[in-house]
Every structure is written in structure tokens, then in C-alpha cells.
Coordinates of all heavy atoms in Angstrom, one line a residue:
M1 N 1.5 -11.8 -11.0 CA 1.0 -10.4 -11.2 C 2.3 -9.6 -11.3 O 3.2 -9.6 -10.4 CB 0.2 -10.0 -10.1 CG -0.2 -8.5 -10.2 SD -1.2 -8.0 -8.9 CE -2.8 -7.8 -9.7
E2 N 2.5 -8.8 -12.4 CA 3.7 -7.9 -12.5 C 3.5 -6.7 -11.5 O 2.4 -6.2 -11.3 CB 3.8 -7.5 -13.9 CG 4.2 -8.5 -14.9 CD 4.4 -8.1 -16.2 OE1 4.9 -6.9 -16.4 OE2 4.1 -8.7 -17.3
D3 N 4.7 -6.2 -11.1 CA 4.7 -5.0 -10.3 C 4.3 -3.8 -11.2 O 4.6 -3.8 -12.4 CB 6.0 -4.6 -9.7 CG 6.4 -5.7 -8.7 OD1 5.5 -6.2 -8.0 OD2 7.6 -5.9 -8.5
A4 N 3.6 -2.9 -10.6 CA 3.3 -1.7 -11.4 C 4.5 -0.9 -11.6 O 5.5 -0.9 -10.8 CB 2.3 -0.8 -10.5
P5 N 4.6 -0.1 -12.7 CA 5.8 0.7 -13.0 C 6.0 1.7 -11.9 O 5.1 2.3 -11.3 CB 5.5 1.4 -14.3 CG 4.1 1.3 -14.5 CD 3.6 0.2 -13.7
K6 N 7.3 1.9 -11.5 CA 7.6 2.9 -10.4 C 7.6 4.3 -11.0 O 8.0 4.6 -12.1 CB 9.0 2.6 -9.9 CG 8.9 1.3 -9.2 CD 10.2 1.1 -8.3 CE 10.4 -0.3 -7.7 NZ 9.2 -1.1 -7.5
R7 N 6.9 5.3 -10.3 CA 6.8 6.7 -10.6 C 7.9 7.4 -9.8 O 7.6 7.7 -8.6 CB 5.4 7.1 -10.3 CG 4.4 6.3 -11.0 CD 4.3 6.6 -12.6 NE 3.3 5.8 -13.1 CZ 3.3 5.3 -14.2 NH1 4.4 5.3 -15.0 NH2 2.3 4.6 -14.7
T8 N 8.9 7.6 -10.3 CA 10.1 8.2 -9.5 C 10.2 9.8 -9.6 O 11.0 10.4 -9.1 CB 11.5 7.7 -9.9 OG1 11.7 7.9 -11.3 CG2 11.5 6.2 -9.6
F9 N 9.5 10.4 -10.7 CA 9.7 11.8 -10.9 C 9.3 12.7 -9.7 O 9.8 13.7 -9.5 CB 9.0 12.3 -12.1 CG 7.6 12.1 -12.2 CD1 6.7 13.2 -11.9 CD2 7.0 10.9 -12.6 CE1 5.3 13.0 -11.9 CE2 5.6 10.7 -12.8 CZ 4.8 11.7 -12.3
I10 N 8.5 12.2 -8.8 CA 8.1 12.9 -7.6 C 8.0 11.8 -6.5 O 7.0 11.4 -6.1 CB 6.7 13.6 -7.7 CG1 6.7 14.6 -8.9 CG2 6.4 14.3 -6.4 CD1 5.3 15.1 -9.2
P11 N 9.1 11.3 -6.0 CA 9.2 10.3 -5.1 C 8.6 10.5 -3.7 O 8.2 9.6 -3.0 CB 10.6 9.8 -5.0 CG 11.4 11.1 -5.4 CD 10.5 11.8 -6.4
N12 N 8.5 11.8 -3.3 CA 8.0 12.2 -2.1 C 6.6 12.7 -2.2 O 6.2 13.5 -1.4 CB 9.0 13.2 -1.3 CG 9.0 14.6 -2.1 OD1 8.8 14.6 -3.3 ND2 9.3 15.6 -1.3
L13 N 5.8 12.3 -3.1 CA 4.5 12.8 -3.4 C 3.7 12.6 -2.1 O 3.6 11.5 -1.5 CB 3.8 12.1 -4.6 CG 2.4 12.6 -4.8 CD1 2.4 14.0 -5.3 CD2 1.8 11.6 -5.9
D14 N 3.0 13.6 -1.6 CA 2.2 13.6 -0.5 C 0.9 14.0 -0.9 O 0.6 15.2 -1.3 CB 2.8 14.5 0.6 CG 2.2 14.3 2.0 OD1 1.4 13.3 2.1 OD2 2.3 15.2 2.9
Y15 N -0.1 13.2 -0.7 CA -1.5 13.4 -1.3 C -2.5 13.3 -0.1 O -2.5 12.3 0.7 CB -1.9 12.4 -2.3 CG -3.3 12.5 -2.9 CD1 -3.5 13.5 -3.9 CD2 -4.3 11.6 -2.5 CE1 -4.7 13.7 -4.4 CE2 -5.6 11.8 -3.0 CZ -5.8 12.9 -4.0 OH -7.0 13.0 -4.5
H16 N -3.3 14.3 0.1 CA -4.2 14.4 1.2 C -5.6 14.4 0.5 O -5.9 15.3 -0.2 CB -4.0 15.6 2.0 CG -2.8 15.6 2.7 ND1 -2.5 14.9 3.9 CD2 -1.5 16.2 2.5 CE1 -1.2 15.1 4.3 NE2 -0.6 15.8 3.4
F17 N -6.5 13.5 1.0 CA -7.8 13.4 0.4 C -8.7 13.3 1.6 O -8.5 12.4 2.5 CB -7.9 12.2 -0.5 CG -9.3 11.9 -1.0 CD1 -9.6 12.5 -2.2 CD2 -10.2 11.1 -0.3 CE1 -11.0 12.3 -2.8 CE2 -11.5 10.9 -0.9 CZ -11.8 11.5 -2.0
R18 N -9.8 14.1 1.7 CA -10.6 14.1 2.9 C -12.0 14.1 2.5 O -12.4 14.8 1.4 CB -10.3 15.4 3.7 CG -9.1 15.4 4.5 CD -8.9 16.6 5.3 NE -8.4 17.7 4.4 CZ -7.2 17.8 3.9 NH1 -6.3 16.9 4.2 NH2 -6.8 18.9 3.3
V19 N -12.9 13.4 3.0 CA -14.3 13.6 2.9 C -14.8 14.6 4.0 O -14.6 14.4 5.1 CB -15.1 12.1 3.1 CG1 -16.6 12.5 3.1 CG2 -14.6 11.2 2.1
D20 N -15.3 15.7 3.4 CA -15.7 16.8 4.3 C -17.2 16.8 4.7 O -17.6 17.5 5.6 CB -15.4 18.1 3.6 CG -13.8 18.3 3.3 OD1 -13.1 17.8 4.1 OD2 -13.6 18.9 2.3
G21 N -18.0 16.0 4.0 CA -19.4 16.0 4.3 C -20.1 15.0 3.5 O -19.7 14.7 2.3
L22 N -21.2 14.5 4.0 CA -22.1 13.6 3.2 C -23.5 14.0 3.5 O -23.9 14.2 4.6 CB -21.8 12.1 3.7 CG -22.7 11.1 3.1 CD1 -22.5 11.1 1.6 CD2 -22.4 9.7 3.7
N23 N -24.3 14.2 2.4 CA -25.6 14.6 2.6 C -26.5 13.9 1.5 O -26.5 14.4 0.3 CB -25.8 16.1 2.5 CG -27.2 16.6 2.6 OD1 -28.1 15.8 3.0 ND2 -27.4 17.9 2.6
G24 N -27.1 12.8 1.7 CA -27.8 12.0 0.8 C -26.9 11.5 -0.3 O -25.9 10.7 -0.1
H25 N -27.0 11.9 -1.5 CA -26.3 11.4 -2.6 C -25.1 12.4 -3.0 O -24.3 12.1 -3.8 CB -27.2 11.4 -4.0 CG -28.3 10.5 -4.0 ND1 -28.0 9.1 -4.0 CD2 -29.6 10.6 -3.8 CE1 -29.1 8.4 -4.0 NE2 -30.0 9.3 -3.8
L26 N -25.0 13.4 -2.2 CA -23.9 14.4 -2.3 C -22.8 14.2 -1.3 O -23.0 14.1 -0.1 CB -24.4 15.9 -2.2 CG -23.4 16.9 -2.4 CD1 -22.9 17.0 -3.8 CD2 -24.1 18.3 -2.0
V27 N -21.6 14.1 -1.8 CA -20.3 13.9 -1.0 C -19.4 15.1 -1.3 O -19.1 15.4 -2.5 CB -19.6 12.6 -1.4 CG1 -18.3 12.5 -0.5 CG2 -20.5 11.3 -1.3
K28 N -19.1 15.8 -0.2 CA -18.2 16.9 -0.3 C -16.7 16.3 0.0 O -16.6 15.8 1.1 CB -18.6 18.1 0.4 CG -19.8 18.7 0.1 CD -20.2 19.9 1.0 CE -21.5 20.4 0.6 NZ -21.9 21.6 1.3
I29 N -15.8 16.6 -0.8 CA -14.3 16.2 -0.7 C -13.3 17.3 -0.8 O -13.8 18.4 -1.5 CB -14.0 14.9 -1.4 CG1 -14.0 15.4 -3.0 CG2 -14.8 13.7 -1.3 CD1 -13.5 14.2 -4.0
S30 N -12.3 17.2 -0.3 CA -11.2 18.2 -0.6 C -9.9 17.4 -0.8 O -9.8 16.2 -0.2 CB -11.1 19.2 0.5 OG -10.7 18.6 1.8
A31 N -9.0 17.8 -1.6 CA -7.8 17.2 -1.8 C -6.7 18.3 -2.1 O -6.9 19.3 -2.7 CB -7.9 16.2 -3.0
E32 N -5.4 17.8 -1.8 CA -4.3 18.6 -2.1 C -3.1 17.7 -2.2 O -3.1 16.6 -1.6 CB -4.1 19.7 -1.0 CG -4.0 19.2 0.4 CD -4.1 20.3 1.4 OE1 -3.3 21.3 1.3 OE2 -4.9 20.3 2.3
L33 N -2.1 18.1 -2.9 CA -0.8 17.3 -3.0 C 0.3 18.2 -3.1 O 0.3 19.4 -3.4 CB -1.0 16.4 -4.1 CG -1.2 16.8 -5.4 CD1 0.1 16.9 -6.3 CD2 -2.2 15.9 -6.2
N34 N 1.5 17.6 -2.7 CA 2.7 18.4 -2.8 C 3.8 17.3 -3.0 O 3.7 16.2 -2.7 CB 3.0 19.3 -1.6 CG 3.0 18.6 -0.2 OD1 3.9 17.7 0.0 ND2 2.0 18.8 0.6
G35 N 5.0 17.8 -3.4 CA 6.1 17.0 -3.6 C 7.3 17.7 -4.3 O 7.2 19.0 -4.5
T36 N 8.3 17.1 -4.7 CA 9.5 17.6 -5.3 C 9.8 16.8 -6.7 O 9.9 15.7 -6.7 CB 10.7 17.4 -4.4 OG1 10.5 18.1 -3.2 CG2 12.0 18.2 -5.0
H37 N 9.9 17.6 -7.8 CA 10.3 17.0 -9.0 C 11.7 16.7 -9.1 O 12.6 17.5 -9.4 CB 9.9 18.1 -10.1 CG 10.1 17.6 -11.5 ND1 10.6 18.5 -12.5 CD2 10.2 16.5 -12.1 CE1 10.7 17.9 -13.6 NE2 10.5 16.7 -13.4
S38 N 12.1 15.4 -8.8 CA 13.5 15.0 -8.8 C 13.9 14.0 -9.7 O 15.1 13.4 -9.5 CB 13.8 14.5 -7.3 OG 12.9 13.4 -6.9
D39 N 13.2 13.8 -10.8 CA 13.6 12.8 -11.8 C 12.8 13.2 -13.1 O 12.0 14.2 -13.1 CB 13.2 11.4 -11.4 CG 14.1 10.3 -12.2 OD1 14.8 10.7 -13.2 OD2 14.1 9.2 -11.8
V40 N 13.2 12.6 -14.2 CA 12.6 12.9 -15.5 C 11.0 12.8 -15.5 O 10.6 11.7 -14.9 CB 13.2 12.0 -16.6 CG1 12.4 12.2 -17.9 CG2 14.6 12.2 -16.7
L41 N 10.4 13.7 -15.9 CA 9.0 13.7 -16.1 C 8.6 13.6 -17.5 O 8.9 14.5 -18.4 CB 8.3 15.1 -15.5 CG 6.8 15.3 -15.6 CD1 6.0 14.1 -15.0 CD2 6.4 16.6 -15.1
D42 N 8.0 12.4 -17.9 CA 7.8 12.1 -19.3 C 6.2 12.2 -19.5 O 5.5 11.4 -19.1 CB 8.3 10.7 -19.6 CG 7.9 10.4 -21.1 OD1 7.4 11.1 -21.8 OD2 8.4 9.2 -21.5
L43 N 5.8 13.3 -20.1 CA 4.4 13.5 -20.4 C 4.2 13.4 -21.9 O 3.2 13.8 -22.5 CB 3.8 14.9 -20.0 CG 3.9 15.0 -18.5 CD1 3.5 16.5 -18.1 CD2 3.0 14.0 -17.8
S44 N 5.2 12.7 -22.6 CA 5.0 12.7 -24.1 C 3.8 11.8 -24.5 O 3.2 12.0 -25.6 CB 6.3 12.0 -24.7 OG 6.7 10.8 -24.1
P45 N 3.3 10.8 -23.7 CA 2.1 10.0 -24.1 C 0.9 10.9 -24.3 O 0.0 10.5 -25.0 CB 1.9 9.0 -23.0 CG 3.3 8.9 -22.4 CD 4.0 10.2 -22.5
V46 N 0.9 12.1 -23.6 CA -0.2 13.0 -23.8 C 0.2 14.3 -24.6 O -0.5 15.3 -24.5 CB -0.9 13.4 -22.4 CG1 -1.5 12.2 -21.8 CG2 0.2 14.1 -21.5
G47 N 1.3 14.1 -25.2 CA 1.7 15.2 -26.1 C 2.4 16.4 -25.5 O 2.6 17.4 -26.1
L48 N 2.9 16.3 -24.2 CA 3.4 17.4 -23.5 C 5.0 17.3 -23.3 O 5.5 18.1 -22.6 CB 2.7 17.6 -22.1 CG 1.3 18.0 -22.1 CD1 0.7 18.0 -20.7 CD2 1.0 19.3 -22.9
G49 N 5.6 16.4 -23.9 CA 7.0 16.3 -23.9 C 7.6 15.7 -22.7 O 7.0 15.1 -21.8
V50 N 9.0 15.8 -22.6 CA 9.8 15.2 -21.4 C 10.5 16.4 -20.8 O 11.1 17.3 -21.5 CB 10.7 14.2 -22.0 CG1 11.7 13.7 -20.9 CG2 10.0 13.1 -22.7
S51 N 10.6 16.3 -19.5 CA 11.3 17.5 -18.7 C 12.2 16.8 -17.8 O 11.9 15.9 -17.0 CB 10.4 18.3 -17.9 OG 11.0 19.2 -17.0
P52 N 13.6 17.2 -17.9 CA 14.5 16.7 -16.8 C 14.1 17.3 -15.4 O 13.4 18.1 -15.3 CB 15.9 17.3 -17.2 CG 15.5 18.4 -18.1 CD 14.1 18.2 -18.7
A53 N 14.6 16.6 -14.4 CA 14.3 17.1 -13.1 C 14.7 18.5 -12.8 O 15.7 19.0 -13.3 CB 15.1 16.2 -12.1
T54 N 13.8 19.2 -12.1 CA 14.0 20.6 -11.7 C 14.5 20.9 -10.3 O 14.9 21.9 -10.0 CB 12.7 21.5 -11.9 OG1 11.8 20.9 -11.1 CG2 12.3 21.4 -13.4
A55 N 14.2 19.7 -9.5 CA 14.6 19.7 -8.0 C 13.7 20.9 -7.3 O 14.0 21.3 -6.1 CB 16.0 20.0 -7.8
K56 N 12.7 21.3 -8.0 CA 11.7 22.3 -7.4 C 10.6 21.6 -6.7 O 10.1 20.5 -7.1 CB 11.2 23.2 -8.3 CG 12.3 24.1 -9.0 CD 11.7 25.1 -10.0 CE 12.7 26.0 -10.6 NZ 12.1 27.0 -11.5
S57 N 10.1 22.2 -5.6 CA 8.9 21.5 -4.9 C 7.6 22.3 -5.4 O 7.7 23.4 -5.9 CB 9.1 21.8 -3.5 OG 10.2 21.0 -3.0
F58 N 6.5 21.7 -5.2 CA 5.2 22.3 -5.5 C 4.3 21.9 -4.4 O 4.4 21.0 -3.7 CB 4.7 21.8 -6.9 CG 4.3 20.3 -6.9 CD1 3.0 20.0 -6.5 CD2 5.2 19.3 -7.1 CE1 2.7 18.6 -6.6 CE2 4.9 18.1 -7.1 CZ 3.6 17.6 -6.8
A59 N 3.2 22.7 -4.3 CA 2.2 22.4 -3.4 C 0.8 22.9 -4.0 O 0.7 24.1 -4.3 CB 2.3 23.2 -2.0
S60 N -0.1 22.0 -4.3 CA -1.3 22.4 -5.0 C -2.2 23.0 -4.0 O -2.2 22.6 -2.9 CB -1.9 21.2 -5.7 OG -2.4 20.3 -4.7
P61 N -3.0 24.0 -4.4 CA -4.0 24.5 -3.5 C -5.0 23.4 -3.2 O -5.3 22.5 -4.0 CB -4.6 25.7 -4.3 CG -4.4 25.4 -5.7 CD -3.1 24.5 -5.8
R62 N -5.7 23.7 -2.0 CA -6.7 22.6 -1.6 C -7.9 22.8 -2.6 O -8.4 23.8 -2.8 CB -7.2 22.9 -0.2 CG -8.2 21.9 0.2 CD -8.7 22.0 1.6 NE -7.6 21.7 2.4 CZ -7.5 22.0 3.7 NH1 -8.5 22.6 4.3 NH2 -6.4 21.7 4.4
E63 N -8.3 21.7 -3.2 CA -9.4 21.7 -4.1 C -10.7 21.2 -3.4 O -10.6 20.2 -2.6 CB -9.1 20.8 -5.3 CG -8.1 21.1 -6.2 CD -7.9 20.3 -7.5 OE1 -8.9 20.1 -8.1 OE2 -6.8 19.8 -7.6
H64 N -11.8 21.8 -3.6 CA -13.0 21.4 -3.0 C -13.9 20.9 -4.2 O -14.1 21.6 -5.2 CB -13.7 22.6 -2.3 CG -12.8 23.0 -1.2 ND1 -12.9 22.4 0.0 CD2 -12.0 24.1 -1.1 CE1 -12.0 23.1 0.9 NE2 -11.5 24.1 0.1
V65 N -14.4 19.7 -4.0 CA -15.2 19.0 -5.0 C -16.5 18.5 -4.3 O -16.6 18.0 -3.3 CB -14.4 17.8 -5.5 CG1 -15.2 17.0 -6.6 CG2 -13.1 18.2 -6.1
K66 N -17.5 18.5 -5.3 CA -18.9 18.0 -5.0 C -19.2 16.8 -5.9 O -19.1 17.0 -7.1 CB -20.0 19.0 -5.0 CG -19.9 20.2 -4.0 CD -21.0 21.2 -4.2 CE -20.8 22.3 -3.2 NZ -21.9 23.3 -3.3
V67 N -19.3 15.6 -5.3 CA -19.5 14.4 -6.1 C -20.9 13.9 -5.8 O -21.4 13.7 -4.6 CB -18.5 13.3 -5.7 CG1 -18.6 12.1 -6.5 CG2 -17.0 13.9 -5.9
T68 N -21.7 13.7 -6.9 CA -23.0 13.2 -6.7 C -22.9 11.6 -7.1 O -22.4 11.2 -8.1 CB -24.1 13.8 -7.6 OG1 -24.0 15.2 -7.4 CG2 -25.4 13.3 -7.5
I69 N -23.5 10.7 -6.2 CA -23.5 9.4 -6.4 C -25.0 8.9 -6.7 O -25.9 9.3 -6.0 CB -23.0 8.7 -5.1 CG1 -21.6 9.2 -4.7 CG2 -23.0 7.1 -5.4 CD1 -20.5 8.9 -5.7
R70 N -25.1 8.1 -7.7 CA -26.4 7.6 -8.1 C -26.2 6.1 -8.5 O -25.3 5.9 -9.3 CB -27.0 8.4 -9.3 CG -27.3 9.8 -9.1 CD -28.8 10.1 -8.9 NE -29.0 11.5 -8.9 CZ -29.4 12.2 -7.7 NH1 -29.5 11.5 -6.7 NH2 -29.6 13.4 -7.8
D71 N -27.0 5.2 -7.9 CA -26.9 3.8 -8.3 C -25.5 3.3 -8.1 O -25.0 2.6 -8.9 CB -27.4 3.5 -9.7 CG -28.8 3.9 -9.9 OD1 -29.7 3.7 -8.9 OD2 -29.2 4.5 -11.0
S72 N -24.9 3.8 -7.0 CA -23.5 3.3 -6.7 C -22.4 3.8 -7.6 O -21.3 3.2 -7.8 CB -23.5 1.8 -6.5 OG -24.3 1.4 -5.4
K73 N -22.7 4.7 -8.5 CA -21.8 5.3 -9.5 C -21.7 6.8 -9.4 O -22.6 7.4 -8.9 CB -22.3 4.9 -10.9 CG -22.3 3.4 -11.1 CD -22.8 3.1 -12.5 CE -22.8 1.6 -12.7 NZ -23.5 1.3 -14.0
V74 N -20.5 7.4 -9.7 CA -20.4 8.8 -9.8 C -21.3 9.4 -10.9 O -20.9 9.0 -12.1 CB -18.8 9.1 -10.0 CG1 -18.7 10.7 -10.2 CG2 -18.1 8.7 -8.8
A75 N -22.2 10.1 -10.6 CA -23.0 10.8 -11.6 C -22.5 12.1 -12.0 O -22.7 12.5 -13.2 CB -24.4 10.8 -11.0
S76 N -21.9 12.8 -11.1 CA -21.2 14.1 -11.4 C -20.1 14.4 -10.5 O -20.1 13.9 -9.4 CB -22.2 15.2 -11.4 OG -22.6 15.6 -10.0
W77 N -19.1 15.2 -11.0 CA -17.9 15.6 -10.2 C -17.7 17.0 -10.6 O -17.4 17.3 -11.7 CB -16.7 14.7 -10.7 CG -15.4 14.9 -10.1 CD1 -14.6 16.0 -10.2 CD2 -14.8 14.1 -9.0 NE1 -13.5 15.8 -9.4 CE2 -13.6 14.6 -8.8 CE3 -15.3 12.9 -8.5 CZ2 -12.8 14.1 -7.8 CZ3 -14.3 12.3 -7.6 CH2 -13.1 12.8 -7.3
V78 N -18.0 17.9 -9.6 CA -17.8 19.3 -9.9 C -16.8 19.9 -8.9 O -17.0 20.0 -7.8 CB -19.2 20.0 -9.7 CG1 -19.1 21.5 -9.9 CG2 -20.3 19.4 -10.5
A79 N -15.7 20.4 -9.6 CA -14.6 20.9 -8.8 C -14.7 22.5 -8.8 O -15.1 23.0 -9.8 CB -13.2 20.6 -9.4
E80 N -14.6 23.0 -7.6 CA -14.6 24.5 -7.5 C -13.5 25.1 -8.3 O -12.3 24.6 -8.2 CB -14.4 24.8 -5.9 CG -14.1 26.1 -5.6 CD -13.8 26.3 -4.1 OE1 -14.7 26.1 -3.3 OE2 -12.7 26.4 -3.7
P81 N -13.7 26.1 -9.1 CA -12.6 26.8 -9.9 C -11.6 27.4 -8.9 O -12.1 28.1 -8.0 CB -13.3 27.8 -10.8 CG -14.7 27.6 -10.5 CD -15.0 26.7 -9.3
I82 N -10.4 27.1 -9.1 CA -9.4 27.7 -8.3 C -8.1 27.8 -9.0 O -7.7 26.8 -9.7 CB -9.2 26.8 -6.9 CG1 -8.1 27.5 -6.0 CG2 -8.8 25.5 -7.3 CD1 -8.1 26.9 -4.7
E83 N -7.5 29.0 -9.1 CA -6.3 29.2 -9.8 C -5.2 28.4 -9.3 O -5.0 28.2 -8.1 CB -5.9 30.7 -9.8 CG -4.8 31.0 -10.8 CD -4.6 32.5 -10.9 OE1 -5.6 33.2 -10.8 OE2 -3.4 32.8 -11.2
G84 N -4.4 27.8 -10.2 CA -3.2 27.0 -9.8 C -3.4 25.6 -9.6 O -2.5 24.9 -9.1
R85 N -4.6 25.1 -9.8 CA -4.8 23.6 -9.5 C -4.6 22.8 -10.8 O -4.4 23.4 -11.8 CB -6.3 23.4 -9.1 CG -7.3 23.6 -10.2 CD -8.7 23.2 -9.6 NE -9.7 23.3 -10.7 CZ -10.2 22.3 -11.3 NH1 -9.8 21.0 -11.0 NH2 -11.1 22.4 -12.2
G86 N -4.5 21.5 -10.6 CA -4.4 20.6 -11.7 C -2.9 20.5 -12.3 O -2.0 21.3 -11.7
L87 N -2.8 19.8 -13.3 CA -1.5 19.6 -13.9 C -0.8 20.9 -14.3 O 0.4 21.2 -14.1 CB -1.6 18.7 -15.1 CG -0.3 18.5 -16.0 CD1 0.8 17.8 -15.1 CD2 -0.6 17.6 -17.2
M88 N -1.6 21.8 -15.0 CA -0.9 23.1 -15.4 C -0.5 24.0 -14.2 O 0.6 24.6 -14.4 CB -1.9 23.9 -16.2 CG -2.4 23.2 -17.5 SD -1.0 22.4 -18.4 CE -0.4 23.9 -19.2
G89 N -1.2 23.9 -13.1 CA -0.7 24.6 -11.9 C 0.6 24.0 -11.4 O 1.5 24.8 -11.0
I90 N 0.7 22.7 -11.3 CA 1.8 22.1 -10.9 C 3.0 22.4 -11.9 O 4.2 22.8 -11.3 CB 1.6 20.6 -10.7 CG1 0.7 20.3 -9.6 CG2 3.0 19.8 -10.5 CD1 0.2 18.9 -9.5
L91 N 2.8 22.3 -13.1 CA 3.9 22.6 -14.0 C 4.5 24.0 -13.9 O 5.6 24.3 -14.0 CB 3.4 22.3 -15.5 CG 3.2 20.9 -15.9 CD1 2.6 20.8 -17.3 CD2 4.4 20.0 -15.7
G92 N 3.5 25.0 -13.7 CA 3.9 26.4 -13.5 C 4.7 26.5 -12.2 O 5.7 27.3 -12.3
Q93 N 4.4 25.9 -11.1 CA 5.2 26.0 -10.0 C 6.5 25.3 -10.2 O 7.5 25.8 -9.5 CB 4.5 25.2 -8.8 CG 3.4 26.0 -8.2 CD 2.7 25.3 -7.0 OE1 3.5 25.0 -6.1 NE2 1.5 25.2 -6.9
L94 N 6.7 24.4 -11.0 CA 8.0 23.8 -11.3 C 8.8 24.5 -12.3 O 9.9 24.2 -12.7 CB 7.8 22.3 -11.9 CG 7.1 21.3 -10.9 CD1 6.8 20.0 -11.5 CD2 7.9 21.2 -9.6
G95 N 8.1 25.6 -12.8 CA 8.9 26.4 -13.8 C 8.9 25.8 -15.2 O 9.6 26.3 -16.1
L96 N 7.9 24.9 -15.4 CA 7.8 24.3 -16.7 C 6.6 24.8 -17.5 O 5.5 25.1 -16.9 CB 7.6 22.8 -16.6 CG 8.7 22.1 -15.8 CD1 8.3 20.6 -15.5 CD2 10.0 22.1 -16.5
S97 N 6.7 25.1 -18.8 CA 5.6 25.4 -19.6 C 5.3 24.3 -20.6 O 6.3 23.7 -21.0 CB 5.6 26.8 -20.2 OG 6.7 26.7 -21.2
V98 N 4.1 24.2 -21.1 CA 3.8 23.2 -22.1 C 4.7 23.5 -23.3 O 5.2 22.5 -23.9 CB 2.4 23.2 -22.5 CG1 2.1 22.3 -23.6 CG2 1.5 22.9 -21.2
L99 N 4.9 24.8 -23.7 CA 5.8 25.1 -24.9 C 7.3 24.7 -24.6 O 7.8 24.4 -25.6 CB 5.7 26.5 -25.1 CG 4.3 27.1 -25.4 CD1 4.3 28.6 -25.6 CD2 3.7 26.5 -26.7
S100 N 7.7 24.6 -23.4 CA 9.1 24.3 -23.3 C 9.4 22.7 -23.1 O 10.5 22.4 -23.1 CB 9.7 25.0 -22.0 OG 9.1 24.4 -20.8
L101 N 8.4 22.0 -23.0 CA 8.4 20.5 -22.8 C 8.8 19.9 -24.1 O 8.3 20.3 -25.2 CB 7.3 19.9 -22.1 CG 7.1 20.4 -20.7 CD1 5.8 19.6 -20.2 CD2 8.3 19.8 -19.8

């Protein structure tokens, strides 16, 4: 088995995932992550270009998600709308815009 490719653009990535509650088929979770962009970030496979390291840190806001499980599968995944979350929020904190990549 080959080793997975190393992801060095955020070597200190810290990801926190918590199960906040379970009620029947509904699971409430929360997640947040932070780290430092310290190497080349290549998003060209998704059409967003390549960015050299910025040496800037980011911290995503805590996301709250409701997941519905049916027949041992995820039937729905609903994330609470929150400004600054996701890839675009992280890029913004790093001072990167899609247009500049």
C-alpha cells in the first residue's frame, strides 16, 4: 500500500469535531479548525489556482450541523449558515481571494 500524499500547506492543522447530541435519527455535531498556511496551496484541480505560503494563521468559526441518518447512511446534512465558514472563509482570513489565485 502506498503512502498517502503529504499535505504540507497547513502542517499544524488542528481539527475539532464533536458530537453534541443524538436524538433518534438526528445527530447534532460541531466542528472547527485552525492552522497556519506555511507552504504552497495548490487548488488548481478545482480551478482556484496556486498560492505561495502566506505564513498567516486562520481559525474557522465553530460550525453546527444536523445530520439525519437513515438505513445506516447519511440522508441529510444541514449546516447552520455562518459567515466566514468553509473554504472561502479560510481563504479570506489568509488574505487570498479566488481572483488572485
Side-chain angles (χ1 to χ4, degrees):
M1 176 185 254
E2 291 184 33
D3 290 334
K6 297 194 183 335
R7 307 288 184 213
T8 60
F9 60 95
I10 305 172
N12 66 336
L13 181 65
D14 191 12
Y15 181 75
H16 297 277
F17 178 89
R18 289 177 281 283
V19 175
D20 297 326
L22 176 62
N23 185 359
H25 295 286
L26 180 67
V27 181
K28 293 181 181 179
I29 61 174
S30 61
E32 57 192 303
L33 55 100
N34 60 64
T36 304
H37 175 213
S38 57
D39 202 347
V40 173
L41 174 58
D42 183 0
L43 295 175
S44 57
V46 293
L48 296 179
V50 178
S51 170
T54 62
K56 293 182 180 179
S57 296
F58 69 91
S60 69
R62 180 176 296 164
E63 296 185 51
H64 298 279
V65 180
K66 293 179 181 176
V67 181
T68 303
I69 308 294
R70 298 248 189 257
D71 299 322
S72 300
K73 297 178 183 174
V74 174
S76 71
W77 182 286
V78 180
E80 169 185 288
I82 184 168
E83 189 168 335
R85 73 178 182 99
L87 177 60
M88 300 312 286
I90 291 170
L91 293 177
Q93 288 186 45
L94 297 175
L96 304 172
S97 70
V98 174
L99 297 176
S100 68
L101 293 178

